[in-house]
């Protein structure tokens, strides 16, 4: 029996477990997190205070205090049955990494004790040689170490019966270059804090800290594990490289409004419970547009914690799905012709006085503050749209961006009709005087008008990659597999830089004698004019927009190898270095790593395509070809005339043609791959993999395979079909 058939059979036998018993979320929430409340209970006054101030980033923790904190953490963890600890970090591979050590140790005299000291908490040396470093380690002959990040709380990961205390850390080389996603993210948050506070102080002197906030929305597919295992392409590359579109796709849109299937619902409740224990504040769950596609979203948090929570969630979802005989597909485009998955990043900034800086105001003063941060964001996206594009570039996201149901690879900003009008009016004001019309604009009740108008028409526009949604911007082009840190680091940094320049520009005018409000209004006006071309309100998926964007000179880079170039321009190097986020060396290394990841991904897909053709598709097709041949031979033998087997002949001809062309294409693709593999320069190789392997062969091969899928006897077809993966549960 083929894996495909046994997978279908075992679904109907219903082996999946039920979800967990319902529990109050508040009873579970944060149960496995070393929250400040728990720290308070397990730490001395001195240790607790020291932890608090290091969370705020203001003070380093010294060794003796670190010992106390480590001891407190261990005590708490042991009350929960934890035996091991690990430094948990986010290397540039895109997944999370951990190396488990037990608390157990032997003293000099051989007595066994449980121990976890400050040194083990603060720093560790994982074997860094197998993590990507883009040549940094080779250049500097440095090893890497992980260093505790007190701003993110420790937590307990439960896997089966095992429990591990996880210490969130950053990952750095001995020469100080960062080797992970988290360290530059923290630096970008600091840069943004600095410039945003200075600008916010124009309006309120009491603001002393500005934190960026992130609420992500995670889209994903869920399919049966048996079917997953019967699809080597899903197992190895995360997406189906072949598969004919099912007779029914998403055209009825019945999935979006439908109820969640029970088996998936049990899985959701299970992974939600696990997430609550880890302090991930999940709030919404629903079906998405495509069949078998779903979404979850938490309440927003400060960016660094939200990033940790998203990476943790992806991990938890993967593990819990398997308990239910299911698999989660986080890939951006697991099924051709069916909507892909994104990870919308809702982003804003909030002050320690409790103000959301992107929330429209009610008074002239708060309006001016809102307009300042709003227009600065638009200017930042305008000036650095190439970097935002680079921050979301990956082999898997290339299948989604620019495809017909996803945001285009062109970065534009959508702000809605009402705010467009407001900006238009500000732009029209000429001359130096702060006149009545300026006053009138500032007196608008933006707070009330904007949400109403957004509900009216704007949130309907889901085609924009970067949209204002009432009190935050939503960066929609982020891929569903991505670590949000990459996009967030870039967004924070370009915003920090733009605000820094804004402050300088305003101060120049103030020094010349302008009143503060007038100076601010002038610079806002100047920025609106300067970033005009990035604003777009129409349908981002349309062809007209591609043409219009080209006319406006907006970049439209559809492939990752070229999109990544933006990371290493002089402009990018200056930006990241002057804001103390990434050095030249680090940028070059990251660029190299992203290119390598791209090459490997395309390489794996090309290999799996070749393998599936030669060992699955062609044998099944030839088998059916033989059946037809024997049938025709037999009919001929018993003396029937040709017209009575014309149909079989026709099918045989078609099948034979597809078989021949397919095996020829596969051979040629293997040759093309060999040519690419011989290349030594990473960027050239990545570009070649795109233009010599992927572009000329992937679709052409798929076309033949999908035709064969339709022609070959269903009972002989080895791979689960789209209709089975998407509709049987
Ligand atoms: P909708 O579902 O209509 O898009 P929400 O406004 O609730 O509505 O937002 C979607 C996501 O945006 C949620 O994850 C939410 O937590 C997040 N979000 C809301 N406000 C902010 C904010 N100020 N900063 C960052 N994210 C936010
Ligand atoms: Mg959204």
């Amino acid at each position: 029996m083929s894996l495909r058939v046994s997978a279908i059979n075992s679904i109907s036998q219903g082996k999946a477990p039920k979800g967990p018993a319902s529990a109050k979320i508040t009873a579970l929430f944060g149960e496995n997190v070393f929250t400040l409340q728990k720290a308070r209970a397990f730490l001395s006054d001195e240790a607790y205070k020291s932890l608090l101030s290091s969370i705020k980033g203001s003070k380093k923790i010294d060794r003796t205090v670190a010992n106390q904190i480590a001891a407190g953490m261990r005590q708490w963890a042991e009350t929960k049955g934890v035996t091991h600890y690990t430094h948990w970090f986010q290397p540039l591979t895109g997944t999370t990494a951990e190396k488990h050590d037990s608390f157990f140790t032997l003293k000099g005299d051989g007595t066994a004790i449980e121990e976890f000291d400050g040194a083990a908490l603060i720093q560790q040396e994982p074997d860094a040689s197998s993590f990507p470093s883009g040549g940094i380690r080779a250049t500097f002959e440095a090893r890497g170490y992980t260093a505790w990040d007190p701003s993110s709380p420790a937590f307990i990961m439960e896997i089966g019966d095992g429990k591990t205390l996880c210490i969130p850390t950053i990952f750095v080389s001995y020469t100080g270059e960062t080797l992970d996603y988290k360290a530059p993210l923290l630096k970008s948050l600091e840069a943004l804090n600095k410039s945003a506070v200075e600008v916010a102080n124009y309006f309120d002197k009491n603001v002393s800290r500005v934190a960026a906030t992130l609420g992500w929305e995670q889209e994903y597919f869920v399919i049966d594990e048996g079917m997953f295992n019967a699809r080597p392409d899903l197992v190895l590359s995360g997406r189906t490289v072949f598969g004919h579109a099912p007779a029914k796709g998403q055209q009825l849109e019945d999935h979006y409004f439908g109820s969640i299937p029970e088996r998936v619902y049990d899985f959701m409740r299970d992974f939600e419970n696990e997430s609550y224990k880890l302090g991930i504040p999940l709030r919404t769950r629903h079906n998405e547009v495509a069949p078998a596609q779903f979404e979850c979203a938490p309440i927003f948090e400060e960016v660094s914690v939200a990033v940790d929570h998203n990476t943790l969630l992806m991990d938890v979802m993967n593990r819990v799905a398997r308990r239910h005989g299911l698999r989660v597909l986080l890939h951006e485009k697991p099924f051709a012709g069916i909507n892909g998955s994104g990870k919308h990043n809702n982003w804003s900034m909030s002050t320690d006085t409790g103000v959301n800086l992107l929330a429209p105001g009610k008074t002239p003063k708060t309006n001016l503050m809102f307009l300042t941060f709003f227009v600065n964001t638009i200017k930042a996206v305008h000036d650095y749209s190439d970097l935002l594009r680079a921050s979301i570039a990956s082999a898997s996201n290339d299948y989604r961006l620019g495809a017909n149901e996803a945001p285009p690879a062109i970065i534009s900003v959508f702000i809605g009709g009402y705010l467009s009008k407001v900006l238009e009016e500000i732009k029209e004001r000429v001359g130096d005087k702060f006149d009545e019309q300026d006053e009138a604009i500032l007196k608008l009740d933006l707070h009330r008008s904007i949400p109403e108008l957004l509900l009216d028409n704007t949130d309907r526009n889901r085609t924009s990659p970067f949209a204002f949604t009432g009190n935050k911007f939503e960066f929609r082009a982020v891929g569903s597999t991505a670590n949000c840190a990459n996009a967030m680091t870039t967004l924070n940094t370009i915003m920090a830089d733009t605000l820094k320049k804004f402050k300088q520009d305003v101060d120049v005018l103030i020094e010349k004698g302008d009143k503060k409000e007038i100076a601010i209004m002038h610079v806002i006006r100047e920025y609106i004019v300067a970033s005009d071309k990035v604003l777009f309100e129409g349908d981002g998926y349309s062809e007209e927009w591609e043409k219009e964007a080209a006319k406006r000179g907006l970049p439209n880079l559809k492939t990752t190898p070229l999109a990544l170039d933006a990371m290493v321009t002089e402009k990018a190097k200056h930006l990241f270095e002057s804001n103390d986020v990434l050095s030249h060396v680090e940028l070059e290394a990251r660029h190299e790593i992203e290119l390598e990841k791209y090459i490997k991904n395309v390489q794996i897909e090309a290999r799996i395509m070749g393998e599936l053709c030669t060992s699955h598709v062609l044998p099944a097709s030839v088998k059916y070809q033989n059946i037809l041949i024997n049938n025709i031979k037999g009919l001929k033998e018993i003396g029937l005339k040709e017209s009575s087997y014309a149909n079989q002949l026709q099918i045989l001809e078609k099948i034979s043609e597809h078989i021949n062309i397919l095996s020829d294409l596969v051979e040629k693709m293997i040759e093309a791959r060999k040519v690419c593999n011989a290349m030594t320069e990473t960027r050239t190789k990545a570009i070649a993999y795109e233009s010599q392997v992927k572009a000329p062969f992937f679709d052409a091969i798929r076309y033949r395979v999908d035709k064969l899928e339709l022609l070959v006897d269903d009972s002989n077809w080895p791979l689960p079909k789209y209709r089975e993966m998407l509709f049987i549960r």
Side-chain angles (χ1 to χ4, degrees), residues 194-399:
K194 239 178 18 218
S195 10
V197 165
E198 292 204 337
V199 173
N201 284 345
Y202 281 137
F203 310 97
D204 182 357
K205 286 277 175 230
N206 295 320
V207 173
S208 63
R209 182 167 179 264
V210 170
T213 50
L214 165 63
W216 40 262
E217 301 161 61
Q218 177 75 51
E219 291 178 327
Y220 60 96
F221 282 81
V222 177
I223 68 164
D224 176 73
E225 185 168 37
M227 303 241 202
F228 176 87
N229 289 334
R231 293 281 320 209
D233 48 356
L234 277 180
V235 174
L236 295 182
S237 75
R239 80 178 183 103
T240 56
V241 294
F242 307 134
H244 198 282
K248 173 186 166 181
Q250 62 193 53
Q251 65 273 64
L252 296 179
E253 299 198 337
D254 50 352
H255 183 66
Y256 193 67
F257 299 106
S259 57
I260 297 169
E262 189 175 330
R263 192 173 168 205
V264 177
Y265 183 66
D266 284 335
F267 153 66
M268 283 179 175
R269 290 200 301 118
D270 204 356
F271 88 68
E272 284 169 359
N273 273 6
E274 295 294 324
S275 305
Y276 293 141
K277 287 194 222 163
L278 289 165
I280 305 170
L282 287 180
R283 207 163 91 148
T284 53
R285 59 162 103 101
H286 60 81
N287 290 356
E288 264 302 320
V289 180
Q293 192 187 26
F294 306 90
E295 182 189 291
C296 64
I299 298 166
F300 70 93
E301 301 173 279
E302 287 198 11
V303 170
S304 66
V305 180
V307 163
D308 282 4
H309 282 166
N310 181 251
T311 48
L312 260 178
L313 174 94
M314 293 194 284
D315 196 28
V316 167
M317 282 170 95
N318 278 326
R319 276 191 290 105
V320 174
R322 301 173 76 156
R323 293 213 282 260
H324 292 258
L326 296 168
R327 282 303 186 111
V328 168
L329 309 179
L330 291 167
H331 194 284
E332 283 78 359
K333 194 78 179 172
F335 303 101
I338 303 279
N339 267 14
S341 300
K343 173 152 36 205
H344 297 175
N345 279 203
N346 294 276
W347 173 89
S348 188
M349 291 152 288
S350 89
T351 66
D352 56 349
T353 53
V355 175
N356 175 356
L357 292 170
L358 289 173
K362 289 181 197 173
T363 62
K365 191 169 135 191
T366 50
N367 266 344
L368 191 57
M369 179 160 87
F370 161 71
L371 281 172
T372 296
F373 285 91
F374 178 68
V375 169
N376 269 281
T377 313
I378 296 170
K379 177 80 161 40
V381 176
H382 169 271
D383 291 357
Y384 296 105
S385 72
D386 59 337
L387 272 177
L388 279 179
R389 169 68 185 97
S391 77
I392 51 159
S394 70
S396 49
N397 212 13
D398 279 3
Y399 287 107

Side-chain angles (χ1 to χ4, degrees), residues 49 57 77 91 106 153-154 194 215 260 279 284 341 358 385 406 436 461 486 565 568 579 626 636 646 716:
K49 270 191 205 135
L106 291 175
K194 239 178 18 218
I260 297 169
T284 53
S341 300
L358 289 173
S385 72
E436 279 164 18
N461 188 334
N486 223 11
D565 283 346
V568 285
N579 285 287
N626 280 331
K636 214 170 174 174
N716 270 336

Side-chain angles (χ1 to χ4, degrees), residues 25 40 64 96 177 282 303 348 433 442 448 459 507 579 688:
I25 296 169
R40 183 64 281 207
T64 47
T96 56
E177 279 81 21
L282 287 180
V303 170
S348 188
K433 280 217 303 289
L442 291 181
R448 284 249 308 270
D459 210 30
D507 285 351
N579 285 287

Side-chain angles (χ1 to χ4, degrees), residues 182-195:
K182 201 64 196 297
L185 175 70
L186 295 174
K187 291 180 177 181
S188 75
L189 287 165
E190 193 37 48
L192 179 58
N193 173 36
K194 239 178 18 218
S195 10

